[in-house]
Amino acid sequence: IGLSMRVELLLQGIAKNFGAEQTLDLNFGENSEIDTANIESVEFKLVTENGTPISNRIQLYFQDSLGTVIDSLFDGGPRDVMHAAPVDDQGLVYQIQRTETYVPMAISRFDQIRTAKKAYLKLAFSTYTAPDGSQQPVKLLANMNVTFKMGLKVKTRY
């Protein structure tokens, strides 16, 4: 006799500054070869489409091939880049929360990080906070999704 089962457990509760870390491979492609004397400006763009009741603060550290930190994305520490989707009285998300964050970077800093081979991402998760500052228990479901995209805009002089 064989039995196969899929069980989905509802997670309900409150979290504040729950940490997570991940290392990602990184390649700036043709932007790592541009002569910085020809660069006018550099800007990173982060876009999140969040279908969960969880927000996060992140800091991204650029590392060389040996894992040595070259620099970070944000000056002055982590920043809020993904805002929690709003929830109803039962703690269920009722709409997607889209957030765009623009991060200009000095050309001198970009000159150092463009050779980075890895990105070390540190996250701190917190559940939805109401406009009045209160937190209510929220529900996390298996069908909730988050999309996180990061792009780079390098404007050259020619």
Side-chain angles (χ1 to χ4, degrees):
I1 296 176
L3 176 64
S4 180
M5 208 183 331
R6 179 180 169 178
V7 178
E8 191 171 299
L9 299 175
L10 173 68
L11 178 60
Q12 181 174 343
I14 296 172
K16 187 159 177 105
N17 294 323
F18 181 80
E21 301 172 351
Q22 183 165 357
T23 301
L24 311 162
D25 289 329
L26 186 64
N27 184 342
F28 285 103
E30 64 186 39
N31 292 314
S32 61
E33 303 298 324
I34 297 174
D35 181 356
T36 54
N38 295 325
I39 296 177
E40 233 177 82
S41 64
V42 176
E43 181 178 65
F44 286 87
K45 178 180 180 182
L46 294 94
V47 177
T48 61
E49 293 172 353
N50 188 5
T52 73
I54 295 180
S55 63
N56 75 41
R57 295 176 62 79
I58 75 162
Q59 180 59 284
L60 184 74
Y61 297 96
F62 299 101
Q63 299 177 328
D64 64 17
S65 59
L66 300 174
T68 304
V69 173
I70 300 168
D71 202 345
S72 61
L73 181 59
F74 301 114
D75 284 336
R79 289 211 0 222
D80 295 324
V81 297
M82 185 176 82
H83 299 288
V87 297
D88 61 19
D89 292 341
Q90 282 73 48
L92 290 168
V93 169
Y94 60 85
Q95 77 181 37
I96 302 294
Q97 178 67 45
R98 180 181 167 92
T99 307
E100 293 184 5
T101 306
Y102 297 90
V103 186
M105 180 174 279
I107 296 164
S108 59
R109 288 183 62 212
F110 179 69
D111 189 34
Q112 292 179 7
I113 66 150
R114 67 191 180 135
T115 61
K117 300 298 179 199
K118 298 200 176 288
Y120 176 65
L121 181 63
K122 289 186 77 167
L123 305 146
F125 296 97
S126 296
T127 51
Y128 176 77
T129 302
D132 68 2
S134 64
Q135 282 191 298
Q136 73 182 68
V138 296
K139 295 178 177 148
L140 291 175
L141 306 174
N143 64 345
M144 293 177 167
N145 292 310
V146 172
T147 301
F148 184 91
K149 302 174 193 173
M150 184 169 84
L152 175 66
K153 181 173 141 185
V154 176
K155 185 175 178 185
T156 58
R157 297 183 198 284
Y158 51 91

